[in-house]
Amino acid sequence: MRPVVLTTERLRLVPFAKEDYYLFLGLHSDPEVNRFLSPGPQPMSEAEARERLAKYMDAHDRNQISKWKLETVSGDFLGRAGFSWQKDPAGFEMGYSLKRSAWGKGYATEIARGLVSWFFKTMPDDHLIAYSASEHQTSQNVMVKSGMTFWKEMEKHGVPCRFFRITREEYLNDQIHGTAVPA
């Protein structure tokens, strides 16, 4: 059994493994799931899925921080969530991607709150960022519900994006810490 990175009331994050390839490919084969992700609404190719999954596994093995497999506490696959390092703007970026059958159930907000809490309890960084395509209001609502506030607009991967951010000080002064339990 893989170690649990984070648990919330209904969800958990575990490191991806090679055997998760078809779950990962299935998630990103849905054009609606990919609609606001880079490179856009087309299904992710098998080669890109293998490359991204390997990147996530390597990041976890090296640094214990990555995008992880998101599942219910009973083990049903829902998607991926976690962190990746961004150079511009510099800092860790929180991201999540859920399969369509998991939409509208509060899972994105629950895991985002858990991730913010895990990040500031685990990492020494003074801020955390998240962003979405400017037109993706649903994802921006999740960021706000996780305690983040609008920071700036800029283009990312050729797409106008809205960036949100939370500082350690804001996190410590905020009462929306979620119920994350770092492993």
Side-chain angles (χ1 to χ4, degrees):
M1 180 131 189
R2 286 177 258 187
V4 175
V5 175
L6 162 69
T7 302
T8 66
E9 184 180 337
R10 301 178 296 166
L11 308 171
R12 69 180 173 208
L13 290 171
V14 296
F16 275 112
K18 287 179 184 176
E19 60 266 21
D20 295 321
Y21 169 73
Y22 288 104
L23 292 172
F24 187 82
L25 179 63
L27 172 70
H28 290 294
S29 292
D30 184 337
E32 277 303 301
V33 169
N34 287 355
R35 182 172 170 203
F36 295 110
L37 302 177
S38 177
Q42 65 270 16
M44 189 180 284
S45 72
E46 290 186 19
E48 184 179 0
R50 284 191 198 287
E51 183 180 312
R52 283 209 191 176
L53 189 62
K55 180 179 164 186
Y56 296 158
M57 292 186 305
D58 182 58
H60 176 79
D61 290 345
R62 280 185 296 108
N63 303 315
Q64 303 299 297
I65 187 167
S66 184
K67 300 266 174 74
W68 299 293
K69 180 181 178 182
L70 175 62
E71 55 188 28
T72 64
V73 291
S74 59
D76 297 325
F77 177 73
L78 297 178
R80 65 168 173 81
F83 309 97
S84 57
W85 177 258
Q86 300 289 305
K87 291 180 183 173
D88 184 25
F92 277 102
E93 173 256 343
M94 175 179 70
Y96 39 83
S97 210
L98 282 66
K99 61 185 192 174
R100 258 198 278 183
S101 63
W103 293 0
K105 298 178 178 168
Y107 292 140
T109 298
E110 184 175 330
I111 202 59
R113 286 177 176 170
L115 286 167
V116 169
S117 181
W118 182 94
F119 185 82
F120 287 114
K121 290 177 180 176
T122 308
M123 301 297 291
D125 302 64
D126 69 345
H127 72 278
L128 176 64
I129 60 174
Y131 68 93
S132 73
S134 295
E135 63 188 88
H136 194 3
Q137 189 62 51
T138 303
S139 187
Q140 293 165 33
N141 291 342
V142 168
M143 294 173 209
V144 169
K145 289 177 185 177
S146 74
M148 296 184 149
T149 55
F150 174 73
W151 180 34
K152 67 180 180 175
E153 292 197 36
M154 69 180 274
E155 199 169 282
K156 193 82 169 168
H157 308 291
V159 175
C161 292
R162 295 190 59 150
F163 282 74
F164 290 73
R165 170 181 156 132
I166 185 170
T167 65
R168 179 173 298 280
E169 182 179 351
E170 290 166 335
Y171 167 76
L172 293 172
N173 291 328
D174 193 357
Q175 296 304 307
I176 307 177
H177 299 321
T179 56
V181 180

